[in-house]
């Protein structure tokens, strides 16, 4: 590989990124990650709506935020955001729908305690490496993804609003992101595209949705800048 073809990191793991750029990058990551998908699917299965659904989503974000701070600053210290796992989703949906939310939440506690103990004893990673080789882990992730396909398709067609506008805004977002990805490899010195291609695509897609009446921001002006969950 020639020197010109060598990929260049825009920001290294230990680099100090300016506060303004860090805020935009953090916002981009939160907007593009799927942290809210799992609680949305689970809340639909257990019958949450309105204020209860809003509370459930806020608590999910709040808990994942605490877990991320603990993981990235104190424990493993990996530059990743902690989010909910899709692996126990089917079991949680069944328990929550048949036995209630308290039982569903309580069912997570024994497993969490076991994982904490395994992590503290350093046996968890050894168990995973021996019991679940990489190709088995890949198959598990594939199966989880396939089981979510019907939910995703149903969600697209059951979402309130104009289906054409929803599909068009999504396609525009995808195309803009694809163009940004191509351009960032063609224009090697384009730091903006390297750092902010996702949020650029999301902004363009949102503008398309607004222009077609598929986005409603009427509640935003009356919302507080900061409030307790």
């Amino acid at each position: 590989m020639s020197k010109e073809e060598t990929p260049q990191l825009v920001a290294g793991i230990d680099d100090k990124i300016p506060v303004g750029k860090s805020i935009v990058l953090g916002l981009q990551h939160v907007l593009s990650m799927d942290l809210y998908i799992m609680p949305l699917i689970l809340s639909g299965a257990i019958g949450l709506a309105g204020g209860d659904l809003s509370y459930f989503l806020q608590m999910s974000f709040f808990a994942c935020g605490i877990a991320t701070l603990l993981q990235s600053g104190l424990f493993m210290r990996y530059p990743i955001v902690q989010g909910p796992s899709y692996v126990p989703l089917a079991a949680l949906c069944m328990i929550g729908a048949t036995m209630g939310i308290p039982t569903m939440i309580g069912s997570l506690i024994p497993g969490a305690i076991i994982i904490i103990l395994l992590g503290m004893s350093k046996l968890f990673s050894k168990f995973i490496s021996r019991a679940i080789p990489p190709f088995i882990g890949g198959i598990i992730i594939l199966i989880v993804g396939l089981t979510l396909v019907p939910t995703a398709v149903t969600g697209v067609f059951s979402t309130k609003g104009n289906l054409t506008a929803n599909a068009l805004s999504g396609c525009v977002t995808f195309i803009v992101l694809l163009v940004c990805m191509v351009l960032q490899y063609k224009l090697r010195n384009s730091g903006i595209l390297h750092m902010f291609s996702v949020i650029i695509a999301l902004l363009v897609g949102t503008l398309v949705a607004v222009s077609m009446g598929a986005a409603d921001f009427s509640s935003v002006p009356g919302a507080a800048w900061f409030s307790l969950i």
Side-chain angles (χ1 to χ4, degrees), residues 70-117:
L70 291 174
Q71 179 278 130
S72 60
L74 184 60
F75 297 117
M76 293 184 296
R77 303 187 70 179
Y78 289 157
I80 56 175
V81 175
Q82 297 297 117
S85 173
Y86 289 86
V87 174
L89 179 59
L92 291 176
C93 289
M94 180 63 67
I95 295 173
T98 57
M99 302 181 183
I101 297 177
T103 304
M104 180 190 72
I105 296 175
S107 67
L108 294 171
I109 297 176
I113 294 175
I114 292 174
I115 291 178
I116 291 173
L117 294 176

Side-chain angles (χ1 to χ4, degrees), residues 28-88:
Q28 174 178 253
H29 196 86
V30 171
L31 291 174
S32 61
M33 65 189 296
D34 60 351
L35 189 155
Y36 57 90
I37 301 297
M38 194 274 198
L40 275 178
I41 297 174
L42 180 57
S43 62
I46 60 180
L48 295 181
D52 292 334
L53 173 58
S54 176
Y55 178 77
F56 189 66
L57 288 173
Q58 290 181 59
M59 291 304 299
S60 297
F61 272 85
F62 185 70
C64 290
I66 293 177
T68 299
L69 292 175
L70 291 174
Q71 179 278 130
S72 60
L74 184 60
F75 297 117
M76 293 184 296
R77 303 187 70 179
Y78 289 157
I80 56 175
V81 175
Q82 297 297 117
S85 173
Y86 289 86
V87 174

Side-chain angles (χ1 to χ4, degrees), residues 108-166:
L108 294 171
I109 297 176
I113 294 175
I114 292 174
I115 291 178
I116 291 173
L117 294 176
L118 288 174
M120 294 176 63
S121 63
K122 299 182 179 181
L123 295 176
F124 187 66
S125 58
K126 296 180 180 179
F127 170 78
I128 292 297
S129 61
R130 292 185 178 182
I132 307 178
F135 71 92
I136 295 296
I139 293 175
I140 293 174
I141 295 174
L142 176 62
I143 293 174
V144 172
L146 291 176
T147 58
L148 293 175
V149 169
T151 303
V153 174
T154 303
V156 170
F157 287 94
S158 63
T159 300
K160 294 181 180 179
N162 190 318
L163 177 60
T164 302
N166 293 338

